Amino acid sequence: MPYLTLKDGLNLFYKDWGNATGQPVVFSHGWPLNADAWENQMFFLGDRGYRVIAHDRRGHGRSDQSWARNDINTWADDLHELMAHLNIKDATLVGHSTGGGEITRYTGRHGTSWVKKLVLISSITPLMLQTPVSPHGVPMSVFDSQRAAMREDRSAFFYEVPKGPFFGFNRPNATVSEGLIQNWFNQGMQASFKSTYDTIRSWETDFRQELKDLNIPVLVIHGDDDQVVPFAAGGNETIKLLKKGKMRVYHGGPHGLPSIEVDRINTDLLQFLEER
């Protein structure tokens, strides 16, 4: 399995699939998952001639578990090291949830000279935390309760999240997939306690200026029934800050769109990639 040894000595796992000379698409996963969360999209695009890359964020999946530096700036720098290592140019970066924050911070710290387009799916941008400038955001008390739930019984918490709000399986008449629930749980428990606990702090990050500064095309995809990152605070506000933004609202869509709306996400991604 391919690993990159980062400058600080940590080993980062990644997948590099598809056409080695194809247009590169780089995926950043959500919390507390890993690169496996993107398999439907990677298979779809790889089968159509794209080069598709996804990594396990430090502390997650098969990457080394770090005690410190589990923060948005470090993740952006890790991604930059990976792209440099693989000599990736003119890439489209695709981020889900926390991964959307990661790729946005990447552009703020490393610019867009290596990046052609961005796709933000159910992203934590522009400011997930409820504040006077983000009144529709998530109260700090919710983040505190999630930290408390992890300290009390992480395994129970990591079962309830996919069983309920993440995929919208707590909604009436939802078609529940026990396989998706188990897969989410397995990925979450493979990640380190410390990394997943520290990640919650990243949801307090303000990405507004980075979004305003972007001068490349950005596709924003968000479900209007997202119970994790509310649409009113997420996609609805993100699109307002972008110079070259395009919005896709998935009516009734939950947070875990890449797994619940596989065909639609794949179609929207392909269409956006093919646009000149």
Side-chain angles (χ1 to χ4, degrees):
M1 294 190 294
Y3 283 88
L4 167 64
T5 300
L6 299 167
K7 292 177 181 178
D8 66 357
L10 182 140
N11 292 308
L12 194 77
F13 172 84
Y14 65 91
K15 300 180 181 184
D16 189 353
W17 291 1
N19 180 2
T21 62
Q23 182 181 339
V25 184
V26 181
F27 295 89
S28 293
H29 63 79
W31 173 95
L33 306 175
N34 58 52
D36 294 351
W38 289 113
E39 285 190 338
N40 285 317
Q41 287 71 45
M42 293 178 71
F43 179 80
F44 176 82
L45 294 177
D47 203 36
R48 284 158 178 78
Y50 288 87
R51 182 184 182 188
V52 287
I53 298 106
H55 66 291
D56 292 355
R57 190 173 297 124
R58 62 170 61 217
H60 295 69
R62 290 137 293 201
S63 292
D64 287 351
Q65 298 188 359
S66 54
W67 183 257
R69 305 189 68 215
N70 300 302
D71 60 80
I72 197 78
N73 289 342
T74 300
W75 303 333
D77 294 347
D78 290 348
L79 178 58
H80 188 61
E81 283 196 55
L82 178 62
M83 291 179 64
H85 173 70
L86 297 176
N87 193 31
I88 298 171
K89 304 290 178 62
D90 295 324
T92 296
L93 305 185
V94 183
H96 174 245
S97 193
T98 303
E102 177 182 304
I103 64 174
T104 301
R105 180 52 52 92
Y106 173 91
T107 65
R109 290 176 70 82
H110 301 286
T112 57
S113 60
W114 291 14
V115 180
K116 186 177 182 180
K117 298 178 180 180
L118 246 62
V119 181
L120 302 173
I121 303 175
S122 311
S123 175
I124 62 173
T125 57
L127 178 55
M128 184 177 168
L129 176 67
Q130 186 181 71
T131 71
V133 299
S134 182
H136 301 294
V138 178
M140 180 65 80
S141 60
V142 173
F143 297 159
D144 289 339
S145 69
Q146 291 169 334
R147 282 184 276 255
M150 284 192 65
R151 290 193 301 268
E152 181 178 350
D153 188 341
R154 181 170 75 127
S155 59
F157 180 51
F158 277 16
Y159 182 70
E160 291 303 320
V161 172
K163 183 181 175 183
F166 195 91
F167 295 117
F169 291 157
N170 56 346
R171 294 307 197 205
N173 302 317
T175 301
V176 177
S177 168
E178 293 296 335
L180 271 182
I181 294 170
Q182 190 63 50
N183 186 42
W184 195 101
F185 175 83
N186 291 345
Q187 289 184 47
M189 293 304 294
Q190 189 178 12
S192 82
F193 187 109
K194 184 65 162 58
S195 296
T196 53
Y197 186 90
D198 289 351
T199 295
I200 296 174
R201 183 177 294 277
S202 73
W203 303 340
E204 305 167 23
T205 306
D206 188 340
F207 299 98
R208 289 176 297 161
Q209 190 58 54
E210 285 142 313
L211 294 171
K212 291 177 184 177
D213 291 342
L214 280 171
N215 57 0
I216 58 175
V218 181
L219 175 62
V220 179
I221 299 176
H222 215 112
D224 63 7
D225 192 31
D226 191 324
Q227 301 173 69
V228 178
V229 181
F231 172 72
N236 193 52
E237 291 300 316
T238 294
I239 193 66
K240 297 176 183 178
L241 300 172
L242 296 168
K243 296 184 182 76
K244 299 180 181 179
K246 180 177 293 188
M247 184 76 166
R248 293 284 185 272
V249 179
Y250 286 25
H251 296 294
H255 187 65
L257 292 176
S259 298
I260 296 297
E261 295 279 3
V262 174
D263 291 341
R264 189 173 177 188
I265 289 286
N266 289 349
T267 299
D268 282 342
L269 282 177
L270 183 61
Q271 180 181 346
F272 185 61
L273 289 166
E274 292 178 341
E275 290 177 359
R276 300 291 181 237

